[in-house]
Amino acid sequence: MTKHQKRLSAPNSWPIERKEGTFTVKADAGPHGKAGVPLVILLRDVLGYVDSKKEARYALNEGSVLVNGDAISDEQRPIGMFDILAFEQRDEFFRVFPDEGGRLSLTPIDASSADSRLGKIVGKQSVKGGATQLTLHDGANVRVEADEDPEQYHGKDSLVIDNETKEIVAHFPYEEGALVTAVDGTHAGEVGTVTEITVTPGSGNNSVTVETEDDRTFETVEQYVVVIDENFVGDDE
């Protein structure tokens, strides 16, 4: 199995230049699947904090780079949508957010916003003991006990997870009137309010109509939108 990734065949979400060379770093197995971008690419190519994988490995061994509250030592650890990067010695914090075209970008946030992260529910199942397990878009699982009303959570809803306790601290239902961002497709990176959800009969994808703040509307498949909190829009202001 190759240890490298060709730039031209890398996921469109990766923030890399396609024609600067033939190969780039390949992500290790981990969260976000094939869409996850190796941490070293963000450290080297986006932030410019290191010049090489060797420098990245040294910096990470210091334990000063946190992803979702955990110190990371693997420079090829996959980083993806809504992950939180914290550089505590620099007092710098970022949220990975989809930009125009679906490319992942780093949005500066304050320290208090870095204490939790957003997750989209993509799976729900009953587990031993009567509890319910919610699976998020990055592969993480959240356990909801029977006395916590698991029926309130549905697929495509979003949760805010505390990075330290891993507990749910907020819940945003996927419904008309919800604030969403498009994370894929033609309108990736756009933010607006859901005005209509159209259910497609059979096996086709449901569609969603979104109205942006400047009164434009666009339509996309509902798999391409994620419910967000209004605080996400103002993090970099």
Side-chain angles (χ1 to χ4, degrees), residues 184-200:
D184 204 344
T186 306
H187 301 282
E190 296 191 45
V191 175
T193 302
V194 174
T195 58
E196 183 179 8
I197 299 172
T198 303
V199 178
T200 303

Side-chain angles (χ1 to χ4, degrees), residues 49 55 70 77 80 111 143 163 192 197 212:
Y49 289 168
E55 284 188 17
D70 299 324
R77 193 268 197 195
R143 183 183 175 94
N163 286 333
I197 299 172
T212 64

Side-chain angles (χ1 to χ4, degrees), residues 7-194:
R7 286 178 175 262
L8 289 177
S9 62
N12 292 332
S13 60
W14 286 27
I16 59 173
E17 296 300 326
R18 306 285 161 169
K19 298 182 179 180
E20 281 193 353
T22 302
F23 295 99
T24 187
V25 181
K26 184 177 182 179
D28 283 342
H32 302 287
K34 295 181 179 179
V37 57
L39 178 56
V40 64
I41 288 180
L42 299 181
L43 297 176
R44 181 188 63 196
D45 302 340
V46 177
L47 295 170
Y49 289 168
V50 300
D51 294 323
S52 64
K53 282 182 62 178
K54 184 177 180 179
E55 284 188 17
R57 192 175 301 122
Y58 177 80
L60 293 174
N61 284 337
E62 297 292 310
S64 58
V65 180
L66 308 182
V67 177
N68 300 330
D70 299 324
I72 301 300
S73 59
D74 178 11
E75 74 277 5
Q76 293 178 234
R77 193 268 197 195
I79 306 297
M81 184 175 65
F82 303 127
D83 278 345
I84 301 294
L85 271 65
F87 302 88
E88 295 189 323
Q89 292 181 357
R90 293 173 173 265
D91 196 29
E92 293 180 352
F93 308 90
F94 300 93
R95 176 183 290 113
V96 181
F97 204 75
D99 204 347
E100 184 178 350
R103 206 177 208 200
L104 296 177
S105 63
L106 297 180
T107 300
I109 58 177
D110 57 31
S112 61
S113 297
D115 290 338
S116 58
R117 64 184 180 87
L118 191 78
K120 179 181 180 179
I121 299 175
V122 298
K124 178 180 179 180
Q125 63 180 349
S126 298
V127 293
K128 188 176 180 180
T132 298
Q133 178 175 282
L134 305 175
T135 301
L136 305 184
H137 72 280
D138 59 1
N141 294 315
V142 179
R143 183 183 175 94
V144 180
E145 301 299 334
D147 61 357
E148 298 176 30
D149 188 20
E151 295 305 315
Q152 66 179 303
Y153 303 113
H154 302 90
K156 307 180 190 70
D157 289 359
S158 289
L159 305 175
V160 176
I161 307 299
D162 185 279
N163 286 333
E164 181 176 354
T165 66
K166 312 303 181 185
E167 295 179 347
I168 299 172
V169 295
H171 171 215
F172 303 112
Y174 170 69
E175 59 189 5
E176 292 183 1
L179 183 68
V180 299
T181 182
V183 298
D184 204 344
T186 306
H187 301 282
E190 296 191 45
V191 175
T193 302
V194 174

Side-chain angles (χ1 to χ4, degrees), residues 204-230:
N205 293 321
N206 295 341
S207 63
V208 56
T209 303
V210 179
E211 181 177 340
T212 64
E213 193 175 54
D214 57 1
D215 295 326
R216 293 184 299 105
T217 60
F218 67 85
E219 184 175 316
T220 187
V221 295
E222 62 180 5
Q223 287 86 343
Y224 287 175
V225 298
V226 178
V227 184
I228 59 174
D229 179 11
E230 60 184 10

